Amino acid sequence: MNKLRLIWDRFEEGFVVFLLTAMTLVTFVYVILNNFYTFFYNLGDRFEEGSPGLSEFFFTIGDFILDMAQAMTWSNALTKALFAWLLFFGIAYGVRVGGHIGIDALVKLASRKTQKYIALVACVISLGYAGLITVASYAWVSALFEVNIGADDLGQFGIKQWHITLIVPLGFTLVFIRFAEIFVRILRNEQVGLGLADEAADAMKLSKQEEHL
């Protein structure tokens, strides 16, 4: 079981890296193509009188790059789709690593037992919210699956709208599982709060490190 959990944790990390890399790569290539063809057009203009053959060569390269840029009209839609997957998948990953911001200064003033009860209530509310969004988004994806409409600018590749929106119920299902795990750990006294990020504590640590420097 621990081995399967480790494999899943590594998959989460790898998938987040893959989505970020794909987004960056697609955007980078599109920006480069949209700006690089002018470089060859300028070279073609410079050699137009002195060397017509060389000028034509540069113009041909510029036309080729421009055609590639114009053919990538799908890049913006793909970047948005990848960002949506990163966002909803990242929500669950953030719960796992404690990346979400926690505002619990007043809660920490309470006794450990009171903190536990507050954390359990917060966890139940989070579970209810994640469950509600999961059910509602599943109905939404089911409707899109029935109509089977192609995604904007991506339908030519066989990508449907429900392929993109599928991440919403999947992401919140993972969020539900993560909060269920936290709920069990709190009941077992393995942790007190929800394990959220403490920006105040981080700022204090950073301040102390700067003082030492």
Side-chain angles (χ1 to χ4, degrees):
M1 186 67 180
N2 290 334
K3 190 173 182 180
L4 288 175
R5 178 60 180 269
L6 181 63
I7 292 173
W8 174 254
D9 288 346
R10 292 293 176 268
F11 169 77
E12 276 188 314
E13 294 168 0
F15 193 56
V16 168
V17 170
F18 166 76
L19 291 172
L20 279 170
T21 303
M23 282 175 55
T24 304
L25 185 61
V26 170
T27 304
F28 174 77
V29 171
Y30 184 66
V31 170
I32 289 297
L33 291 177
N34 267 283
N35 291 275
F36 200 44
Y37 69 89
T38 57
F39 170 74
F40 289 97
Y41 282 166
N42 290 334
L43 287 176
D45 290 334
R46 179 174 298 182
F47 291 99
E48 191 169 13
E49 293 183 2
S51 181
L54 187 60
S55 174
E56 183 64 26
F57 173 73
F58 286 131
F59 279 133
T60 301
I61 295 177
D63 290 339
F64 176 73
I65 295 175
L66 179 60
D67 289 340
M68 289 180 64
Q70 291 176 337
M72 284 187 68
T73 53
W74 47 267
S75 62
N76 190 37
L78 179 59
T79 302
K80 289 180 180 178
L82 290 171
F83 180 74
W85 273 72
L86 177 64
L87 175 65
F88 288 101
F89 192 84
I91 292 174
Y93 180 73
V95 174
R96 173 198 149 194
V97 301
H100 296 294
I101 299 173
I103 305 174
D104 54 359
L106 292 177
V107 176
K108 288 183 177 179
L109 296 176
S111 65
R112 187 177 179 87
K113 188 176 182 179
T114 303
Q115 288 184 42
K116 177 181 177 180
Y117 289 140
I118 294 174
L120 286 173
V121 172
C123 203
V124 169
I125 293 173
S126 299
L127 284 168
Y129 176 77
L132 180 64
I133 298 297
T134 299
V135 173
S137 58
Y138 175 77
W140 175 42
V141 173
S142 297
L144 290 176
F145 177 78
E146 290 294 330
V147 295
N148 202 33
I149 300 175
D152 292 341
D153 295 324
L154 296 175
Q156 56 183 319
F157 304 110
I159 299 177
K160 306 297 182 179
Q161 288 186 2
W162 70 269
H163 290 152
I164 299 173
T165 56
L166 183 63
I167 188 55
V168 182
L170 284 178
F172 275 96
T173 298
L174 293 174
V175 171
F176 185 92
I177 293 172
R178 290 301 183 187
F179 275 112
E181 291 173 341
I182 293 173
F183 186 82
V184 172
R185 287 198 297 269
I186 294 173
L187 287 177
R188 291 177 177 175
N189 294 316
E190 295 175 2
Q191 73 180 67
V192 178
L194 298 182
L196 302 178
D198 191 334
E199 283 199 327
D202 292 340
M204 289 295 292
K205 289 179 183 177
L206 217 68
S207 178
K208 288 179 180 179
Q209 288 175 0
E210 290 176 354
E211 287 177 1
H212 288 305
L213 293 175

